[in-house]
């Protein structure tokens, strides 16, 4: 079972940033004076770049909780559109530096390997939307990912437009975003839930 976790999360690390591009990661400005406490709570995934580990996933949501040391505990969950099974994954977001608290690294718990993935909050108004960026350098190319998160499962057009403005201002491609399916998101019986902790 342990080897399953190692292989599973190794795959997650390699596929966590899905859009390959030539050259190094682009310069993306992150939010100044990011407040992790205000960021805590429930976020729904409105749109995302393609990622293998979310293939067939719907009803994606995340709970963020701040610990006393400013570490953010993240509980991500999604349902399989094919089986209805819910997958729950927990991790921690650690600030890379105190001068730029919006730049974080996410580590999945309790895997004992260094599988940290960048998680940069480009901008959020805390109340309705957040634009998140991730990029990994591999010498001559890089892979990137991005998410638009919202406080409501079905955000208003005004909320999405505010997020798109941030995307455009940072030269992030809108072409790679796909809308996350949030239809028929219901509670699932415990016996159908697969929880990885």
């Amino acid at each position: 079972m342990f080897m399953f976790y190692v292989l599973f999360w190794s795959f997650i690390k390699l596929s966590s940033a899905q859009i390959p591009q030539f050259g190094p990661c682009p310069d993306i400005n992150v939010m100044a004076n990011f407040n992790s406490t205000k960021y805590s709570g429930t976020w729904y995934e409105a749109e995302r770049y393609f990622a293998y580990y979310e293939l067939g996933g719907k009803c994606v949501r995340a709970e963020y909780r701040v610990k006393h040391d400013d570490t953010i505990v993240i509980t991500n969950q999604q349902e399989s559109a094919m089986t209805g099974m819910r997958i729950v994954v927990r991790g921690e977001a650690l600030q890379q530096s105190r001068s730029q608290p919006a730049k974080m690294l996410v580590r999945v718990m309790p895997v004992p390997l260094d599988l940290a993935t960048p998680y940069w909050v480009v901008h959020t108004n805390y109340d309705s939307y957040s634009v998140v960026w991730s990029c990994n350098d591999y010498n001559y190319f890089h892979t990137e990912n991005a998410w638009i998160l919202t406080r409501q499962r079905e955000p208003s057009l005004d909320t999405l437009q505010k997020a798109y403005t941030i995307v455009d201002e940072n030269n992030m491609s809108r072409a790679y975003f796909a809308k996350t399916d949030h239809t028929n998101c219901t509670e699932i019986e415990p016996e159908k839930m697969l929880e990885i902790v």
Side-chain angles (χ1 to χ4, degrees):
M1 185 58 88
F2 173 75
M3 185 54 68
F4 167 78
Y5 288 135
V6 171
L7 292 174
F8 179 78
W9 290 115
S10 295
F11 175 75
I12 292 292
K13 171 64 176 174
L14 291 173
S15 63
S16 61
Q18 288 293 321
I19 308 300
Q21 303 282 348
F22 289 112
C25 287
D27 247 351
I28 297 289
N29 294 319
V30 297
M31 184 175 186
N33 303 315
F34 174 72
N35 185 318
S36 57
T37 300
K38 291 173 69 175
Y39 197 72
S40 63
T42 302
W43 289 99
Y44 297 96
E45 182 185 84
E47 298 188 16
R48 66 181 179 231
Y49 281 15
F50 174 78
Y52 286 118
Y53 65 89
E54 288 190 275
L55 188 62
K58 56 174 281 192
C59 303
V60 183
R61 64 180 277 182
E63 299 288 335
Y64 295 80
R65 181 174 55 84
V66 181
K67 292 167 60 176
H68 66 279
D69 61 355
D70 288 334
T71 299
I72 300 177
V73 177
I74 305 171
T75 304
N76 276 333
Q77 57 182 297
Q78 69 177 28
E79 296 176 22
S80 168
M82 295 176 287
T83 66
M85 183 177 288
R86 178 178 295 174
I87 298 173
V88 179
V89 179
R90 291 196 175 95
E92 287 187 339
L94 309 171
Q95 293 177 353
Q96 290 182 262
S97 72
R98 291 203 175 273
S99 62
Q100 290 186 302
K103 286 187 176 183
M104 293 173 275
L105 289 173
V106 172
R107 299 179 192 278
V108 175
M109 302 183 302
V111 179
L113 300 177
D114 186 13
L115 299 177
T117 301
Y119 182 102
W120 293 8
V121 179
V122 180
H123 195 272
T124 181
N125 66 355
Y126 301 107
D127 299 321
S128 62
Y129 75 89
S130 177
V131 176
V132 179
W133 170 259
S134 182
C135 189
N136 288 290
D137 270 312
Y138 299 101
N139 294 328
Y140 302 108
F141 73 99
H142 67 274
T143 55
E144 56 192 62
N145 210 338
W147 298 266
I148 294 175
L149 308 177
T150 54
R151 289 295 193 183
Q152 294 182 316
R153 190 183 293 279
E154 296 293 342
S156 67
L157 290 176
D158 179 63
T159 294
L160 289 175
Q161 191 53 57
K162 289 175 182 175
Y164 294 147
T165 299
I166 300 301
V167 167
D168 294 342
E169 287 175 354
N170 285 275
N171 297 314
M172 299 162 64
S173 176
R174 281 202 210 181
Y176 299 129
F177 278 110
K179 187 179 184 331
T180 301
D181 182 5
H182 282 282
T183 58
N184 301 317
C185 297
T186 57
E187 291 300 317
I188 297 179
E189 297 86 352
E191 60 269 17
K192 290 187 178 179
M193 184 182 294
L194 171 63
E195 184 166 356
I196 302 173
V197 294

